[in-house]
Amino acid sequence: MDKVEQREKFIDIMARFTAYTGKHLPDDVYVKLKELREKENTALARIIYDAMFDDLEMADELDRPCCQDTGIIQYFVQLGTQFPLIDEIEDCLREAVKKATLIAPLRHNAVEVFDEKNTGNNVGTRIPWIDWEIVPNSNAATIYVYMAGGGCSLPGTAKVLMPLEGYEAAVKFVFDQITSYGINACPPLLVGIGIAGSVEVAAKLSKKALLRPIGSRNTNPRAAELESSIETGLNAIKIGPGGLGGESSVMGVHIEQAARHPATIAVGLSTGCWAHRRSIIKINADMGYEIISHKGAVL
Ligand code: SF4
């Protein structure tokens, strides 16, 4: 396969995979929603979950996005240093978004700042947003696709606390936010928390926390315990599906951390919604691929 063919193949795979992401929830989210539905005792909560599963079934049958807000497309790329399209992968991802917008179709969600003009193809200045991680000695690219909706993780927030306020203040910040604007995202929520030394690192880590498999725990035992405690506390608020009350508030709480400056504790918060469209694909040097997030998916 020459460079031109590789490029065309890559764009085609990523366009179809991005469109697919808007129509099918990943396996872990699906399983968690089913588990949460079983815990509900009230008719209203069960009706809301039934509506979600009906919606997913119809999205599959009719080949349409499962939510009207197909979000801003964000790619988190773990890029092998020997991946053949390394020089042009950014351009290929932009082309893939344009193509996905037509074939899915995806709602037009890229508005140029200052010009206040919708580009009409979900591509604009620095959009799709692409986050890079370099993987040494690899010729593959593992790409996370995330559709960030205007009600869920786009209105994230972050704050730098004074160190004397301690981690208790970080927890208070999370609860204050979730019990106020957090409800803007359609519950049950997935809560991503970043703790670091500066506001931009904490914010970015809070988004990366949303990419982890639902139910996974931080490898640091203290952080894992905090995830579990916050999850228990948020569930005790009983926000319920759709925010209408129920046994659970969240699908999970994930924390990611970076070492902090002694004088600062920064905390970032991103909330995912029940329609948590996060998918993972691994593309090899020969443009063969493996879909990691959706078992049996056919593009
Ligand atoms: S919060 Fe999620 S499910 Fe609700 S409208 Fe936004 S993207 Fe759709």
Side-chain angles (χ1 to χ4, degrees):
M1 205 181 285
D2 65 21
K3 207 73 168 175
V4 175
E5 287 170 327
Q6 276 178 335
R7 189 188 147 90
E8 272 172 22
K9 181 85 181 151
F10 180 89
I11 292 171
D12 185 58
I13 294 167
M14 284 312 299
R16 286 188 287 130
F17 189 58
T18 303
Y20 185 91
T21 301
K23 300 170 184 176
H24 307 272
L25 295 189
D27 299 340
D28 59 336
V29 175
Y30 208 87
V31 166
K32 188 68 189 181
L33 287 173
K34 281 199 159 160
E35 182 193 312
L36 294 182
R37 185 194 180 280
E38 289 314 308
K39 287 185 183 161
E40 294 298 346
N41 302 313
T42 67
L44 183 57
R46 286 194 163 234
I47 285 169
I48 303 296
Y49 274 115
D50 286 348
M52 291 174 190
F53 286 109
D54 286 350
D55 171 80
L56 292 172
E57 216 173 286
M58 282 194 285
D60 186 40
E61 272 172 22
L62 302 170
D63 194 30
R64 288 181 196 163
C66 60
C67 175
Q68 40 76 36
D69 187 356
T70 48
I72 275 183
I73 313 299
Q74 302 185 325
Y75 293 117
F76 296 80
V77 184
Q78 294 168 352
L79 185 61
T81 48
Q82 286 140 35
F83 187 68
L85 290 171
I86 200 160
D87 286 337
E88 43 202 315
I89 185 168
E90 183 166 350
D91 181 54
C92 290
L93 287 172
R94 290 173 70 86
E95 287 306 312
V97 169
K98 287 181 196 165
K99 201 168 166 184
T101 300
L102 288 174
I103 62 175
L106 304 177
R107 200 174 80 181
H108 304 163
N109 283 331
V111 177
E112 286 294 3
V113 173
F114 301 122
D115 302 335
E116 288 307 296
K117 189 176 179 304
N118 193 318
T119 62
N121 58 13
N122 282 314
V123 170
T125 306
R126 298 195 171 111
I127 291 297
W129 180 256
I130 308 174
D131 178 89
W132 304 103
E133 277 177 37
I134 301 299
V135 183
N137 307 315
S138 162
N139 61 4
T142 300
I143 304 175
Y144 287 64
V145 182
Y146 180 60
M147 292 189 163
C152 53
S153 81
L154 288 176
T157 184
K159 185 182 182 184
V160 179
L161 307 163
M162 292 297 108
L164 271 181
E165 294 182 89
Y167 294 104
E168 294 85 346
V171 173
K172 183 176 181 305
F173 175 77
V174 170
F175 275 77
D176 285 348
Q177 295 299 319
I178 294 289
T179 52
S180 53
Y181 90 91
I183 206 80
N184 281 354
C186 301
L189 308 171
L190 180 62
V191 178
I193 301 169
I195 300 181
S198 62
V199 75
E200 81 285 2
V201 177
K204 185 166 167 174
L205 290 176
S206 74
K207 177 59 72 75
K208 289 208 169 189
L210 293 182
L211 305 179
R212 270 176 33 199
I214 305 246
S216 60
R217 284 286 174 232
N218 192 298
T219 50
N220 180 304
R222 291 193 187 99
E225 200 184 325
L226 189 57
E227 288 176 336
S228 175
S229 306
I230 294 175
E231 188 168 333
T232 304
L234 287 174
N235 280 335
I237 297 171
K238 293 180 178 284
I239 292 171
L244 294 169
E247 291 304 308
S248 310
S249 308
V250 297
M251 294 192 285
V253 174
H254 298 164
I255 301 176
E256 289 293 310
Q257 72 273 35
R260 64 181 181 83
H261 186 284
T264 56
I265 301 178
V267 55
L269 177 68
S270 295
T271 47
C273 61
W274 76 270
H276 184 55
R277 289 146 300 167
R278 176 265 288 123
S279 59
I280 312 165
I281 190 168
K282 183 179 180 197
I283 303 183
N284 299 316
D286 64 0
M287 296 300 130
Y289 62 87
E290 178 195 355
I291 295 172
I292 295 166
S293 51
H294 299 68
K295 197 166 171 233
V298 179
L299 297 184

